[in-house]
Amino acid sequence: MKKRYFGAIFGLAAVFLLTMTGCGGGVKNMSAGMDSESYAASEEAMPTEAQEYAEDTAADGGAVTSESGLESVDLNNRKLIRTVRLEMQTKEFDALIDGIRKKVQEMGGYIESSSMWGNSYYNSGTRNCEYTVRIPSEHLDEFVQVVGELGNVTYKNESVEDVTLQYVDVESHKKALETEQERLLELMEQAENLEDLLAIESRLSEVRYGLENYGSQKRLLDNQIDYSTINLSIAEVERITETGEKSFFQEIAERFGNSLYMVGKGLRGFVIGLIGSLPVLAVWAAVIAGLVFLIQKLFYRKKKKDKKEEPEEKTKEK
């Protein structure tokens, strides 16, 4: 009876493995250790799925279906991760920050991280900040346009990463493990002795670990796909840098004006620094004056003493 039971188990396992190989999610045998790396590295798994994904595009009119029929992917619904980088200048720093925060809230996004710094002593009160904002992908273009109108955009860059194949890979492995989990639960109900039950439970724990792993990967991809990332760098300035093409004379006039501005700003900073440092300079002046007075006094005493000793030495010589 025991041999027949084990034969039935291994027969079911063999049929299941052949099925899983066709859909790209397979496991090689019941005793093989399972982790995310072994599935990703399997030659019988997703490389075949990825090839089918690319080769069947034209034939299926934008959809790809695996041999087992478990996967059907619409190429018009690609999984894209979009990231935008904006560098901005503004004279109204607080108003720009408030406008960004308000727009993020209106569009259902959130601020992932933020930092702000400034040094009023050296930079005449100018401030800078960095924001990492997550916005629903369908509102990304609108958000970038609105924020761009709040300040002067000096740099913009957008990158798009297509993770459709990776997403299909994760979903295929996850479904394969879910199917295996159902089979293992059925076998567990039919187990007739403790040894068989322990073997099934051991494999079931490995399958559940794999499901958790792929589930975590899928949730991460979903978050990156559903919420685009905008990296904002904002600088408070006194003069806005004009963008766009300029003629030869316009560029000369702009650079000449910038030079005059920098000279004026330097003189202004020098005067402010000098006046602001007067208390410190007064203390140092008092200390230096005291030292000079003390040195002069000591020198005067020494000189007076030397004069008194000279007549005495002349008297002794006579």
Side-chain angles (χ1 to χ4, degrees):
M1 181 66 182
K2 185 175 181 180
K3 291 183 179 179
R4 291 180 180 177
Y5 180 73
F6 273 110
I9 291 178
F10 284 113
L12 288 173
V15 173
F16 174 70
L17 290 176
L18 290 174
T19 303
M20 300 315 297
T21 302
C23 72
V27 248
K28 289 191 175 181
N29 51 60
M30 288 291 293
S31 61
M34 202 292 304
D35 56 26
S36 60
E37 294 180 357
S38 63
Y39 278 101
S42 173
E43 294 180 357
E44 299 176 1
M46 289 313 299
T48 301
E49 185 75 18
Q51 291 173 2
E52 292 176 358
Y53 181 86
E55 293 172 357
D56 295 345
T57 304
D60 293 342
V64 177
T65 305
S66 64
E67 294 177 359
S68 61
L70 292 178
E71 289 295 339
S72 181
V73 181
D74 183 6
L75 293 183
N76 295 323
N77 186 25
R78 288 183 175 275
K79 305 298 182 181
L80 304 177
I81 298 176
R82 299 177 65 188
T83 304
V84 176
R85 171 74 181 177
L86 290 178
E87 294 183 5
M88 304 179 63
Q89 294 177 337
T90 181
K91 291 182 178 180
E92 301 176 353
F93 188 82
D94 295 324
L96 176 58
I97 297 301
D98 291 341
I100 290 174
R101 289 181 176 273
K102 183 179 179 181
K103 204 62 186 177
V104 169
Q105 187 175 6
E106 288 178 358
M107 293 187 173
Y110 62 94
I111 297 176
E112 190 174 70
S113 65
S114 66
S115 61
M116 185 181 301
W117 68 94
N119 193 324
S120 60
Y121 185 82
Y122 293 102
N123 295 329
S124 303
T126 58
R127 293 164 290 176
N128 295 270
C129 71
E130 292 278 352
Y131 278 92
T132 299
V133 179
R134 304 295 301 280
I135 293 292
S137 299
E138 62 270 20
H139 298 312
L140 176 63
D141 295 331
E142 179 186 354
F143 180 82
V144 171
Q145 181 180 355
V146 171
V147 170
E149 295 173 354
L150 297 177
N152 182 44
V153 178
T154 58
Y155 175 82
K156 178 182 177 181
N157 179 64
E158 179 177 354
S159 62
V160 179
E161 182 182 2
D162 189 342
V163 294
T164 311
L165 291 179
Q166 182 181 352
Y167 197 89
V168 172
D169 177 87
V170 171
E171 279 195 325
S172 295
H173 285 127
K174 188 171 181 291
K175 288 183 178 181
L177 292 175
E178 288 173 349
T179 303
E180 183 179 359
Q181 179 178 238
E182 294 176 2
R183 298 290 181 88
L184 289 171
L185 291 174
E186 292 175 0
L187 291 175
M188 183 178 290
E189 294 178 357
Q190 300 172 6
E192 296 180 353
N193 56 62
L194 182 60
E195 182 179 356
D196 298 336
L197 184 62
L198 291 176
I200 295 172
E201 286 182 346
S202 176
R203 177 59 188 162
L204 186 60
S205 65
E206 293 175 352
V207 171
R208 285 172 175 169
Y209 172 79
L211 282 173
E212 183 179 351
N213 190 334
Y214 285 113
S216 177
Q217 292 183 44
K218 185 176 182 296
R219 287 191 296 272
L220 177 61
L221 287 173
D222 284 335
N223 180 264
Q224 293 176 328
I225 293 166
D226 295 339
Y227 284 83
S228 298
T229 302
I230 303 97
N231 296 310
L232 286 169
S233 178
I234 303 170
E236 183 182 24
V237 296
E238 296 177 355
R239 286 168 61 93
I240 296 295
T241 301
E242 298 296 336
T243 57
E245 294 185 1
K246 305 178 184 67
S247 67
F248 176 75
F249 292 104
Q250 285 178 335
E251 188 170 350
I252 290 177
E254 181 180 348
R255 295 203 177 188
F256 183 77
N258 288 337
S259 298
L260 290 177
Y261 171 76
M262 294 303 297
V263 171
K265 186 176 181 181
L267 291 174
R268 178 175 177 268
F270 174 76
V271 173
I272 292 174
L274 181 62
I275 295 174
S277 302
L278 284 178
V280 178
L281 294 175
V283 172
W284 278 108
V287 171
I288 293 173
L291 291 174
V292 171
F293 176 77
L294 181 61
I295 292 172
Q296 286 180 345
K297 190 173 182 179
L298 292 174
F299 180 75
Y300 175 76
R301 286 182 179 180
K302 185 176 183 301
K303 189 176 181 180
K304 188 176 181 181
K305 184 178 179 182
D306 292 340
K307 287 182 178 181
K308 287 182 178 180
E309 291 177 353
E310 284 181 2
E312 294 178 359
E313 291 178 357
K314 290 181 180 181
T315 304
K316 290 180 181 181
E317 289 178 0
K318 290 179 179 180

